[in-house]
């Protein structure tokens, strides 16, 4: 669920919030590592060093016993590489991780790739293209930090064909596993977005347009906040119900606007006061402007990305996802005959 920050200072702002205080982050990481029985003893992990809640990934790997964690970083609009390195090493020291276990680097060089047993598809490690994959040893594994069905939305830069050709194991993460349970935060994320738009979900009529497994989690969260929710996978179905206060769009990205001109025109004619709230799936904002329709957020996320940050409601969902993805790596590294039923419940096979 990696999504772009809405503004450059967002990551720094989060670091100031009580929920993102280092001691709390470390407690949550330890609790999740324990719950998932994550054990990476003896392995070398290549992942990213990042800002905000994503700072926890190399820490989680090291706390799970990795002998070496290569944390790739770079300067982006979210933070300067030197600051990210300092923060990562500060967290490591606070966690009691031995100096030298985590090394923060700004280049994904061939030697580092060749040494890794686990390579995550995290932001600073991407793209995992054919050239990068060609450097990996055949026993390496690549856990994907999302569910496998999301591959169809093109939310990552991983050359699956190259991985298959090299015989390198890869799989998605079961985000609905009780010890991961990332999807249960989706409703809260939707509530957060609506509140930022100035709309209280309580008693609001919200039509959720969703063609994927997010649907029931969004419904549950919105109804928990008191909203009157209608749910459909196709826009035509929603035309039959009462005119909504909000049309919450959560469609799989298809590299074109998920609301067609006909859909938008129908809204403009029949429900012109409805707010089009983007959760997932790209919108044609100029078209909506032309028709006089309101939308949120005002600024578009990157194509194919969610418009609501999981970390906007706290670090929990990110921590659970990162640890869950590392757990998938642990399972993939086991011989097939040693993988238990409990192990396989973490894995979302491709």
């Amino acid at each position: 669920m990696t999504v772009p920050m809405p503004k450059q200072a967002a990551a720094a702002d989060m670091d100031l919030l009580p929920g993102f205080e280092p001691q709390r982050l470390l407690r949550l990481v330890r609790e999740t590592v324990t719950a998932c029985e994550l054990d990476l003893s003896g392995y070398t992990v290549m992942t990213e060093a990042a800002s905000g809640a994503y700072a926890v990934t190399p820490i989680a790997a090291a706390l799970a016993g990795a002998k070496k964690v290569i944390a790739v970083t770079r300067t982006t609009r979210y933070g300067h590489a030197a600051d990210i390195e300092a923060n990562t090493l500060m967290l490591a020291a606070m966690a009691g991780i031995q100096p030298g276990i985590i090394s923060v680097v700004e280049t994904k060089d061939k030697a580092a790739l060749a040494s890794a047993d686990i390579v995550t598809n995290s932001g600073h490690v991407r793209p995992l293209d054919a050239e990068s994959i060609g450097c990996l040893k055949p026993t390496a594994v690549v856990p994907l930090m999302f569910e496998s069905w999301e591959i169809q939305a093109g939310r990552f830069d991983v050359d699956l064909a190259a991985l298959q050709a090299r015989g390198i194991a890869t799989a998605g993460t079961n985000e609905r596993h009780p010890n991961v349970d990332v999807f249960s935060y989706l409703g809260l994320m939707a509530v957060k977005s609506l509140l930022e738009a100035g709309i209280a979900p309580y008693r609001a009529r919200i039509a959720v347009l969703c063609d994927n497994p997010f649907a029931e989690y969004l419904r549950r969260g919105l109804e928990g906040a008191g909203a009157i929710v209608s749910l459909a996978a196709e826009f035509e179905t929603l035309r039959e119900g009462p005119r909504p206060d909000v049309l919450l769009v959560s469609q799989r990205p298809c590299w074109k606007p998920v609301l067609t001109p006909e859909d938008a025109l129908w809204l403009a004619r029949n429900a012109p006061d409805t707010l089009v709230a983007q959760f997932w799936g790209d919108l044609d904002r100029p078209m909506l402007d032309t028709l006089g329709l309101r939308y949120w957020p005002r600024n578009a996320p990157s194509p194919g990305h969610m418009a609501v940050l999981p970390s906007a409601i706290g670090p929990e969902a990110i921590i659970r996802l990162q640890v869950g993805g590392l757990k998938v790596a642990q399972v993939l590294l086991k011989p097939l005959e040693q993988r238990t039923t409990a192990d396989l419940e973490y894995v979302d096979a491709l």
Side-chain angles (χ1 to χ4, degrees), residues 3-8 77 193 196-197 275-286 288-289 294-303 305-309:
V3 289
M5 294 283 185
K7 58 178 182 176
Q8 183 171 354
R77 56 179 173 153
S193 181
E196 289 178 343
L275 174 72
V276 180
Q278 181 184 14
F279 194 85
W280 198 29
D282 302 322
L283 296 178
D284 185 341
R285 281 168 169 75
L288 299 179
D289 283 330
R294 298 171 302 148
Y295 50 82
W296 189 263
R298 292 193 177 96
N299 297 322
S302 299
H305 286 258
M306 296 173 68
V308 187
L309 243 78

Side-chain angles (χ1 to χ4, degrees), residues 107-177:
T107 56
K108 186 179 63 176
D109 63 46
K110 293 181 178 180
L113 284 164
S115 71
D117 301 295
I118 299 166
V119 179
T120 71
N121 72 310
S122 305
H124 294 326
V125 183
R126 297 197 299 263
L128 286 176
D129 51 18
E131 181 180 359
S132 298
I133 291 166
C135 299
L136 301 181
K137 52 190 174 185
T139 55
V141 300
V142 176
L144 305 177
M145 303 298 197
F146 48 76
E147 291 199 346
S148 293
W149 64 269
E150 297 178 60
I151 290 171
Q152 297 176 7
R155 293 185 59 225
F156 65 105
D157 297 317
V158 179
D159 190 331
L160 290 179
L163 288 171
Q164 185 177 20
R166 302 251 6 252
I168 293 171
T170 186
T173 301
N174 178 12
E175 296 185 46
R176 288 169 274 187
H177 188 288

Side-chain angles (χ1 to χ4, degrees), residues 32-76:
T32 311
V33 166
T34 299
C36 292
E37 298 181 303
L38 180 62
D39 183 0
L40 302 180
S41 299
Y43 293 121
T44 295
V45 179
M46 175 179 280
T47 188
E48 71 172 349
S51 53
Y54 291 95
V56 304
T57 316
I59 306 301
L63 288 175
K67 69 176 181 181
K68 181 70 176 177
V69 180
I70 304 164
V72 183
T73 194
R74 60 176 177 264
T75 297
T76 69

Side-chain angles (χ1 to χ4, degrees), residues 162-235:
L163 288 171
Q164 185 177 20
R166 302 251 6 252
I168 293 171
T170 186
T173 301
N174 178 12
E175 296 185 46
R176 288 169 274 187
H177 188 288
N179 292 333
V180 183
D181 199 22
V182 173
F183 278 23
S184 290
Y185 293 90
L186 293 169
L188 292 174
M189 291 161 58
V191 168
K192 167 76 169 177
S193 181
L194 294 181
L195 291 174
E196 289 178 343
I199 294 179
Y202 182 64
R203 293 188 176 182
R205 294 186 303 276
I206 301 176
V208 177
L209 180 62
C210 186
D211 63 354
N212 57 72
F214 290 179
E216 288 300 327
Y217 293 87
L218 289 169
R219 182 209 292 271
R220 186 187 310 164
L222 291 166
E223 288 181 343
I228 303 164
V229 179
S230 55
L231 178 63
E234 297 178 353
F235 184 82

Side-chain angles (χ1 to χ4, degrees), residues 84-95:
I84 292 171
E85 179 179 9
N87 185 59
T88 301
L89 297 180
M90 178 202 71
L91 283 173
M94 291 179 64

